[in-house]
Amino acid sequence: MGHFEKGQHALLNEGEENEMEIFGYRTQGCRKSLCLAGSIFSFGILPLVFYWRPAWHVWAHCVPCSLQEADTVLLRTTDEFQIYSWKKVIWIYLSALNSAFGLTPDHPLITDEEYIISRAIRKPDLKVRCIKVQKIRYVWNYLEGQFQKIGSLEDWLSSAKIHQKFGSGLTREEQEIRRLICGPNTIDVEVTPVWKLLIKEVLNPFYIFQLFSVCLWFSEDYKEYAFAIIIMSIISISLTVYDLREQSVKLHHLVESHNSITVSVCGRKAGVQELESHVLVPGDLLILTGNKVLMPCDAILIEGSCVVDEGLLTGESIPVTKTPLPKMDSSVPWKTQSEADYKRHVLFCGTEVIQAKAACSGTVRAVVLQTGFNTAKGDLVRSILYPKPMNFKLYRDAIRFLLCLVGTATIGMIYTLCVYVLSGEPPEEVVRKALDVITIAVPPALPAALTTGIIYAQRRLKKRGIFCISPQRINVCGQLNLVCFDKTGTLTRDGLDLWGVVSCDRNGFQEVHSFASGQAVPWGPVCAAMASCHSLILLDGTIQGDPLDLKMFEATTWEMAFSGDDFHIKGVPAHAMVVKPCRTASQVPVEGIAILHQFPFSSALQRMTVIVQEMGGDRLAFMKGAPERVASFCQPETVPTSFASELQIYTTQGFRVIALAYKKLENGHHTTALTRETVESDLIFLGLLILENRLKEETKPVLEELISAQIRTVMITGDNLQTAITVARKSGMVSESQKVILIEANETNGSSSASISWTLVEEKKHITYGNQDNYINIRDEVSDNGREGSYHFALTGKSFHVISQHFSSLLPKILINGTIFARMSPGQKSSLVEEFQKLDYFVGMCGDGANDCGALKMAHVGISLSEQEASVASPFTSKTPNIECVPHLIKEGRAALVTSFCMFKYMALYSMIQYVGVLLLYWETNSLSNYQFLFQDLAITTLIGVTTLRNHYSGRALWLKPVIPALWEAETGGSQVNLNGAYPKLVPFRPAGRLISPPLLLSVIFNILLSLAMHIAGFILVQRQPWYSMEIHSACTVQNESISELTMSPTAPEKMESNSAFTSFENTTIWFLGTINCIIVALVFSKGKPFRQPTYTNYIFVLVLIIQLGVCLFILFADIPELYRRLDLLCTPILWRVSIVIMLSLNFIVSLVAEEAIIENRALWMMIKRCFGYQSKSQYRIWQRDLANDPSWPPLNQTSHSDMPECGRGVSYSNPVFESNEEQL
């Protein structure tokens, strides 16, 4: 794949999450014929290999060619997984539209090559080449020579172009062409037929291996176990198919409502029509009427405003106000034309329009932006249908280990062939015995063992109200060592209590008006701002919206209503939202205030503005938002000189502070004609609104638990820096003995270059307004003791941006101790998480799901606190609205990881115990009999597996795609440890994250060697016993007979009717040693503390082991001839049976001591690491070591500039492999 023809290779979705490489191929007739012949002569094995290896299918059937000529394309993901798939190129014919619309190659719609749709049509035969990948359609762009996504409007369109081109709808011809090329607007998850699911499941490599094994066992007359495996496989396949079918049905029902909505569409010539939503195309003009409308597509609002519930996508059910896309003259793409988030103009598919408010024209209009699976809801469904694989390195390690076992089996096969050929056995017997070695040595479900712990962990998480759309991430939870938290609504309570308002005049700030007094806010601009500057809506008689807005409005005791028909103001809709003073209110000179237009709040802008009209009075604009931000839009002379110190008084006590401002507007203008920039200028500063934002009760104990477990905690908030520092101290994120260093970075300004300063933040006790609390002060003079003990950096989003741009070499140093990040925009939150990942941290992010959406998706583990079971926002969603879910997830992740590794070890050992025993017996051209195999496979390992079978399916969420056959444990005996839950306490270290970790490998190798030594000792010692004879079929003495008499008279012992091919003293000894060793290994490997509950809490497992051990010892010591005859065992003297027990006891003691004293001895491994000078290669560890030895770090009370040599960009760090950090477990 290294050299490509010109145009054969390209990238699909370049730079996006689902980026893929695409290769062009052309099918060749002769190759196809050869493959067909190969399929027939290989009895279907070749098609099976092609099914498992899609790339091989393409390479065998096709020859490389340019993508333009290709009839088949090969796709390969660009991540570390490099998963292949292939698709046929299909043609869409537009000739069907010829007769209806007279569509010819020179038709204006075809010749206009401004849009992708026109560029995709081949002239003159009017055909379109396309492929469909993961539900998305891509068409071949003839002008640019590449496949491009279709089903959405072009990104380069400016707002003026959207208004001009699509503002009055599409013509009938345009609609039909787009409908044919883009496909239907449906999120169609078909219910997969049972027969398809059945075939897909049966073709799993595991079941193919089972089929091979069963055929081999039938040929050896091992019918009982073969039938048992067939029955279990049928049950397994049936359960898995049923489970998949259920998921398919649930997902189908989840999305089908979207596909059958009636909408009003305005055509350029046809006018308004009622159409089914599935016929919508990008560019259609929707007319939104009435309330409670479910959006069937993504659309750009171009006229009117809407209030939308976006709970499905963000997990937050707070109504969001959407404003129309302003018509600007610039040619800048509409998404980037303003600093505000473009999403405030977009109505997303699957969200509910609670209220549609018409503009002057009397309609609410929106242009269809994206349809089908291109939409926001389509993206959520696709993430469920095609989850991104995780733990690839873990899986790859398992495959490598499996290959090692295959290599071991190959050695065993060669050994078997040599022994049996030299013994003169018939060829068919030699082949059977050699193949038998493979079925014994290779457990085919070994890679699947690594996912089994996930299923049980997911079930336990679901019970705690934590839902998961990416179950593979549960193992990653066990590796988290840094967790970022949003502040408001995550660490602190959602509900804010109004504490007071501080108005200001020309003389500065006035006395605080406390809301505790119960007195209403006196009439004035501050009262008007509180009553009108919000995004609340009136729905079914109740006021709904953001909790902060709600508290603020309720404090005014005003009422909300819609204006009547007699309400007429120029440029104002007839039914505007009006706020009125309640009847009991006195001395309010206005009848009410009509809210004419909103510029809604956005996290990026940190403010919101409204245009209002006093009834019979002035037209005003009010702004509220972050104090520093609001002050920057005000006339400097209106902002009190004590602004910074007054703000600090409240923020240092953990209050949430909002600033208010206003200005008068001219009455003549239409509200829609006013731009945000015009309205938000030369404002008059009104004062500060102070809200109490209390910590949630659960916050402090959870953070203390994480910190004591040496898991770093970081706060990323959009709130004020001083408030964030106080909350960090109160919550325990920063302890009393630790120092906080404030980092301020400023952009290049005129002649001065970018600068960065470091200041120690000092605590002082300060009493203000009867509230005794921490007061934070910046120290003027700081001694060197700032470097003593530990410290935390605190900085704002602005400083973070400047440091990223101008001081990139300092960024990793700052992040090592950076704990408080305030005034961070959503984009900066994502960048910060990514920077932490570059330092090799496993990053968790916990937030409310709305403005944290990007960071939640970027983190290794994103947890959204939400009422929804699933959201686009994050892989995990917790219904409990506090951070208690974080330690639960980490504990379950650790337990799942340890469970998977225990399963892996047990499966490997079980296979190797049987393998060693059988190869020893092959030396004597002997083997275990069918009933002996049956007892080991069914009565021991299968029973251990079945102890957890009842838990296997109940724990899956509807979208968890089964990655393993349901009953594979029954064959491999894997589930001995799954009933153990997570240990309730978090320990200050993580479990091993790799299969190639020395303790894990040592454990497996040591136990294999121990079992080998025990088997060889038993095999040799039994042959040296005085009663041993090749001719004797029982060494059980008659009551008065001595061993010497027995050996003197070889003809004396009873001749039992048994299968002479198997019965021997070696066979009996090896069988007892192997069978009981399987039970011992299960017990030794069932790990409890520190990551899981102790083994004895798994009552079923312990009971099963006791019963199995009891049965084995009973068989060993009970002289029941019929039982021995059935199991092909020989009776041995009591002394030898005791010897077997002693060997097994020694094995158990040595294995247990080795596991506890060496393998699980963390202190020992740490000492070995120190002795050999091993140091962690993780980037953050390297930086920590460097900084610990740097006496000049952290710098205090100094300022550096970007043009200084030590602050240059020349030494900026990079970590090219951080993309795969997720898998460096």
Side-chain angles (χ1 to χ4, degrees), residues 552-591:
M552 183 181 74
F553 181 71
E554 284 170 355
T556 63
T557 69
W558 282 37
E559 295 166 348
M560 190 179 278
F562 285 109
S563 59
D565 294 327
D566 56 341
F567 182 74
H568 294 297
I569 300 175
K570 186 181 177 186
V572 178
H575 294 276
M577 183 71 74
V578 175
V579 289
K580 299 178 179 180
C582 62
R583 290 169 190 170
T584 56
S586 57
Q587 298 177 333
V588 179
V590 293
E591 286 179 48

Side-chain angles (χ1 to χ4, degrees), residues 238-388:
S238 305
L239 285 172
T240 308
V241 167
Y242 173 78
D243 198 41
L244 279 167
R245 174 81 176 184
E246 283 289 292
Q247 291 172 34
S248 186
V249 168
K250 281 181 183 175
L251 199 53
H252 175 76
H253 290 323
L254 189 75
V255 298
E256 68 175 343
S257 57
H258 155 96
N259 299 326
S260 52
I261 301 168
T262 305
V263 289
S264 300
V265 178
C266 179
R268 187 164 288 177
K269 294 173 184 172
V272 179
Q273 295 174 291
E274 295 287 313
L275 297 173
E276 286 288 311
S277 60
H278 67 82
V279 299
L280 288 175
V281 293
D284 264 334
L285 186 65
L286 288 178
I287 308 295
L288 299 173
T289 53
N291 301 333
K292 301 272 185 184
V293 178
L294 199 67
M295 284 300 294
C297 59
D298 288 355
I300 309 168
L301 196 61
I302 61 166
E303 196 170 340
S305 63
C306 290
V307 178
V308 182
D309 177 2
E310 293 189 339
L312 173 86
L313 300 181
T314 63
E316 270 199 319
S317 293
I318 294 168
V320 179
T321 303
K322 299 287 183 176
T323 57
L325 179 73
K327 190 175 181 179
M328 293 187 178
D329 293 333
S330 79
S331 57
V332 177
W334 69 276
K335 286 184 181 180
T336 55
Q337 68 181 13
S338 75
E339 59 173 321
D341 190 357
Y342 72 89
K343 289 176 184 173
R344 66 198 175 101
H345 309 304
V346 180
L347 305 171
F348 291 106
C349 176
T351 61
E352 188 180 38
V353 178
I354 303 170
Q355 217 170 60
K357 300 177 192 172
C360 304
S361 65
T363 58
V364 178
R365 299 187 301 154
V367 173
V368 175
L369 173 65
Q370 294 178 135
T371 57
F373 280 96
N374 293 290
T375 62
K377 186 175 179 180
D379 192 43
L380 169 61
V381 175
R382 286 194 327 115
S383 70
I384 292 168
L385 287 172
Y386 309 103
K388 188 180 176 183

Side-chain angles (χ1 to χ4, degrees), residues 800-1080:
F800 175 73
H801 175 72
V802 174
I803 293 164
S804 301
Q805 293 288 106
H806 301 284
F807 301 94
S808 57
S809 60
L810 288 176
L811 188 59
K813 295 182 178 183
I814 291 166
L815 294 184
I816 293 301
N817 285 85
T819 301
I820 301 156
F821 296 85
R823 293 284 184 237
M824 298 286 281
S825 69
Q828 286 172 334
K829 288 183 180 184
S830 301
S831 300
L832 179 61
V833 167
E834 191 176 354
E835 291 299 331
F836 276 129
Q837 288 174 329
K838 286 182 185 179
L839 290 171
D840 292 344
Y841 279 110
F842 280 89
V843 184
M845 172 74 197
C846 184
D848 57 16
N851 55 0
D852 304 318
C853 194
L856 288 165
K857 290 183 93 170
M858 177 64 70
H860 291 121
V861 177
I863 311 153
S864 171
L865 306 181
S866 158
E867 284 297 309
Q868 304 286 332
E869 281 197 17
S871 67
V872 174
S874 65
F876 294 95
T877 312
S878 171
K879 279 198 166 185
T880 311
N882 61 57
I883 62 169
E884 279 184 332
C885 57
V886 175
H888 286 319
L889 254 178
I890 295 172
K891 288 170 195 169
E892 290 296 352
R894 289 179 173 187
L897 206 55
V898 171
T899 297
S900 297
F901 288 167
C902 290
M903 301 277 291
F904 170 86
K905 284 162 67 174
Y906 179 79
M907 289 170 63
L909 256 293
Y910 160 62
S911 298
M912 294 317 291
I913 287 167
Q914 258 196 3
Y915 173 78
V916 164
V918 168
L919 288 194
L920 281 172
L921 292 175
Y922 277 2
W923 185 255
E924 301 286 346
T925 62
N926 196 340
S927 182
L928 296 178
S929 71
N930 288 351
Y931 282 110
Q932 289 172 337
F933 271 126
L934 196 64
F935 188 89
Q936 277 188 357
D937 293 338
L938 274 181
I940 303 296
T941 51
T942 300
L943 202 55
I944 289 170
V946 168
T947 56
T948 55
L949 199 60
R950 60 191 181 87
N951 284 341
H952 198 101
Y953 277 89
S954 54
R956 292 185 178 167
L958 72 97
W959 39 73
L960 170 55
K961 300 184 76 64
V963 289
I964 54 174
L967 294 185
W968 63 266
E969 311 100 308
E971 158 66 347
T972 57
S975 293
Q976 83 279 6
V977 284
N978 284 336
L979 280 176
N980 296 28
Y983 193 65
K985 187 177 184 300
L986 272 178
V987 290
F989 53 90
R990 299 174 293 161
R994 297 287 301 271
L995 281 177
I996 56 171
S997 65
L1000 202 138
L1001 280 180
L1002 182 65
S1003 175
V1004 172
I1005 294 165
F1006 176 76
N1007 279 282
I1008 289 172
L1009 293 174
L1010 193 63
S1011 296
L1012 178 66
M1014 183 182 68
H1015 278 74
I1016 291 171
F1019 187 78
I1020 294 169
L1021 287 174
V1022 74
Q1023 292 177 342
R1024 295 190 177 174
Q1025 296 307 307
W1027 41 263
Y1028 174 83
S1029 169
M1030 300 291 282
E1031 301 298 317
I1032 292 178
H1033 291 283
S1034 173
C1036 284
T1037 56
V1038 184
Q1039 200 151 17
N1040 298 320
E1041 201 171 13
S1042 70
I1043 289 177
S1044 59
E1045 289 170 337
L1046 182 68
T1047 52
M1048 295 277 292
S1049 172
T1051 55
E1054 53 188 302
K1055 286 272 183 182
M1056 297 175 103
E1057 282 184 40
S1058 62
N1059 189 343
S1060 59
F1062 296 114
T1063 49
S1064 70
F1065 291 124
E1066 293 94 338
N1067 171 291
T1068 303
T1069 304
I1070 291 293
W1071 184 79
F1072 277 119
L1073 289 173
T1075 306
I1076 299 174
N1077 198 11
C1078 285
I1079 301 169
I1080 288 170

Side-chain angles (χ1 to χ4, degrees), residues 224-243:
E224 295 85 351
Y225 189 57
F227 278 124
I229 288 299
I230 289 169
I231 291 163
M232 285 189 287
S233 296
I234 289 168
I235 295 169
S236 167
I237 290 167
S238 305
L239 285 172
T240 308
V241 167
Y242 173 78
D243 198 41

